[in-house]
């Protein structure tokens, strides 16, 4: 955590937007972004499946946060970050099929954007339907580009 | 990554908002949220320090994302998550001084909110000044509640 503190206060880590990104920094970043996404996504899934009571406000907040994170994902896969010293589930196919990978990420962003719109309408059935559609866009990308 | 995939698609992990959170899930979540924060914060610091050219648009995007993440931090420190099997730099004092800890987090959120406002104004000197103030609010919390 010393590294994190140093980076936070003195900007000592690699500079994603301006310089060559170290593979481990990108791997750590993208895995972190997905962790934050899942933290928000999982409780929404539990509501959709009826395991916990449906809470439209919590669902809308979750959708909004997933949308925010969705816009931060693509930058976690810059060229040259296929492999590092950290384990990664990102398949090399990502960098061989950039156009398709980016399209799938944009499809996910669009699906989540629609989920936020639907959530704000307050229509529970529509929220559940769009949640399922958004899950499919997760899966479409994972099936092709995620090893596990 | 199997766990992550399962959680993403089938909502199999602990449910943060609705149920008792497992310490390791909270530790992983909060560390991930800080990683995403730092990914955005570090390039802004490099601009403020003149290590890379100042880019008002990139700075504003960074500030906006840090603001989004800042609103997600506090939920990463629920009661009972002081210790898990994962290493954590969060000091037990966080849970002994909840009112102060929450105030410091809210101070940080407010400072970042102000940073976004200033960034939108396009005044480079004001952005740099508010960046420094925001860094101080990071440090105020780290000094007391973060071990490293």
């Amino acid at each position: 955590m010393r590294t994190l503190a140093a980076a936070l206060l003195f900007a000592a880590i690699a500079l994603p937007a301006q310089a060559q990104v170290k593979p481990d920094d990108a791997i750590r970043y993208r895995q972190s972004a997905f962790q934050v996404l899942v933290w928000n996504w999982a409780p929404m899934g539990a509501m959709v499946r009826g395991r916990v009571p449906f809470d439209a406000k919590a669902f809308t907040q979750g959708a909004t946060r997933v949308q925010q994170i969705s816009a931060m994902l693509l930058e976690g896969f810059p060229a040259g970050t296929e492999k590092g010293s950290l384990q990664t589930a990102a398949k090399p196919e990502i960098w061989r099929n950039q156009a398709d990978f980016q399209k799938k990420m944009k499809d996910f962003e669009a699906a989540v954007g629609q989920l936020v719109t639907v959530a704000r309408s307050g229509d529970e059935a529509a929220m559940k339907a769009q949640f399922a559609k958004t899950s499919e866009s997760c899966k479409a990308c994972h099936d092709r580009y995620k090893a596990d």
Side-chain angles (χ1 to χ4, degrees), chain A residues 8-89:
Chain A
L8 193 59
L9 297 171
F10 309 112
I13 67 164
L15 312 171
Q18 292 82 13
Q20 186 63 39
V21 181
K22 289 181 193 158
D24 279 353
D25 288 339
I27 293 169
R28 196 178 293 111
Y29 168 72
R30 65 200 184 214
Q31 291 179 350
S32 296
F34 280 108
Q35 284 287 348
V36 175
L37 193 159
V38 170
W39 176 268
N40 287 286
W41 190 251
M44 297 166 68
M47 287 183 215
V48 169
R49 284 162 191 80
R51 290 183 197 159
V52 298
F54 197 84
D55 176 338
K57 197 178 158 191
F59 189 96
T60 305
Q61 179 179 279
T64 303
R65 290 179 170 185
V66 171
Q67 184 185 34
Q68 291 168 347
I69 298 295
S70 74
M72 305 182 198
L73 296 176
L74 207 46
E75 68 195 74
F77 300 85
T81 66
E82 291 94 322
K83 287 194 175 182
S85 68
L86 297 170
Q87 256 203 311
T88 172

Side-chain angles (χ1 to χ4, degrees), chain A residues 74 77 79 93-103 145:
Chain A
L74 207 46
F77 300 85
E93 282 80 353
I94 288 172
W95 291 272
R96 283 188 217 132
N97 304 298
Q98 268 292 298
D100 181 64
F101 178 70
Q102 291 188 19
K103 185 188 173 302
Y145 295 118

